[in-house]
Amino acid sequence: LDDVSLSFGETEVLHGLSLTAEAGKTTALVGASGAGKSTIFNLLTRLLDPSSGHVRIGGVATTEMAIPDLRTLFSVVSQEALLFDETLRENIVLGRKDVTDEQLKRVLDAAFVSDFLPQLENGLDTAVGPRGSALSGGQRQRLAIARALLRDTPVLLLDEATSALDAESERAVQEAVERLSRGRTTLVVAHRLATVKKADRIVVFDRGRIAATGTHDDLVAQGGLYARLARLQFTDGQA
């Protein structure tokens, strides 16, 4: 992002933002709700275009790419796993006919879907129900991660992917997310700092501006907004 600003009517959401997410590294975006973090994802995928400034991927402006080509670069795992009222298999392959049994097994194992398949009456051919209602929250997230693994895109967007889970499910999903992130350019939006401590770079947002950047240890040592958030969460046992 190069000097990107974004306004909705009279409300300016991002203010002259410049940010680079390094290829193959994990960049975490943290800050209060409404600080502009998730808006970055919408700009990258062109659900929104900036009011001014430029968004580039590999040096190419997103406005110079056909939208279908642009979106093939991304996989998204969000807080609410988006599932169709079909089988587990169909939710993972999404109509692809070229997926081998070996490929499917590999992503099922990596996303820990294999762990709960024996509990399902029809295994991979079990219907997930409307919006995945026949599965638990952790199972839905692992299914979404398996789908992202199969897509095998160069860029991964994680938006609060573990925030709605209980502690046991969160551990399994977090490990699956770490496997998914390896070797990819990953951007993570998170409120829970425990999920981003290992990020290569953390960017702290405050009301549409970048307040600080660095590793977890760097930012704690600086003593700013991130250090206050860390003190609150880790002291209170939230992270």
Side-chain angles (χ1 to χ4, degrees):
L1 278 67
D2 182 14
D3 197 24
V4 167
S5 294
L6 177 69
S7 298
F8 297 124
E10 298 296 316
T11 304
E12 194 169 21
V13 179
L14 299 178
H15 312 270
L17 206 70
S18 292
L19 165 68
T20 299
E22 291 186 50
K25 301 288 185 67
T26 294
T27 301
L29 314 178
V30 304
S33 296
K37 307 181 299 296
S38 296
T39 303
I40 302 299
F41 289 6
N42 293 334
L43 289 169
L44 289 171
T45 54
R46 288 200 71 195
L47 294 173
L48 295 169
D49 282 328
S51 306
S52 63
H54 301 281
V55 180
R56 297 186 177 91
I57 300 174
V60 180
T62 55
T63 51
E64 295 177 8
M65 302 181 194
I67 286 180
D69 294 338
L70 170 68
R71 292 178 181 165
T72 61
L73 300 176
F74 299 98
S75 292
V76 181
V77 181
S78 61
Q79 180 176 353
E80 180 70 23
L82 300 175
L83 301 182
F84 301 98
D85 188 7
E86 302 290 350
T87 65
L88 276 76
R89 184 190 306 275
E90 289 164 323
N91 270 284
I92 293 170
V93 303
L94 294 180
R96 283 178 54 181
K97 305 297 185 186
D98 60 339
V99 180
T100 66
D101 290 343
E102 182 182 350
Q103 285 176 301
L104 195 54
K105 183 180 187 307
R106 187 165 63 246
V107 301
L108 292 174
D109 290 347
F112 298 100
V113 173
S114 299
D115 289 4
F116 68 84
L117 276 182
Q119 304 165 23
L120 305 178
E121 184 177 357
N122 296 311
L124 266 183
D125 296 311
T126 301
V128 305
R131 301 176 64 87
S133 56
L135 303 177
S136 71
Q139 290 170 341
R140 289 195 294 271
Q141 288 299 75
R142 282 181 267 181
L143 201 61
I145 290 166
R147 180 165 62 196
L149 280 163
L150 189 63
R151 276 176 58 78
D152 195 24
T153 60
V155 185
L156 174 63
L157 306 179
L158 301 173
D159 192 354
E160 299 284 1
T162 64
S163 64
L165 304 178
D166 60 72
E168 184 177 355
S169 296
E170 182 179 9
R171 280 192 295 272
V173 171
Q174 187 62 35
E175 187 170 345
V177 163
E178 288 174 8
R179 292 183 179 185
L180 176 58
S181 300
R182 288 172 194 159
R184 300 179 205 277
T185 304
T186 304
L187 286 92
V188 186
V189 166
H191 284 101
R192 289 170 56 84
L193 302 186
T195 63
V196 300
K197 283 178 68 175
K198 297 179 183 177
D200 298 292
R201 184 179 183 218
I202 298 170
V203 182
V204 185
F205 282 77
D206 186 19
R207 289 170 287 187
R209 292 183 169 87
I210 294 175
T213 64
T215 65
H216 172 80
D217 290 341
D218 291 339
L219 292 168
V220 168
Q222 288 174 24
L225 174 60
Y226 185 89
R228 292 198 299 275
L229 291 171
R231 189 164 56 249
L232 283 170
Q233 291 193 17
F234 289 105
T235 301
D236 293 347
Q238 295 179 25

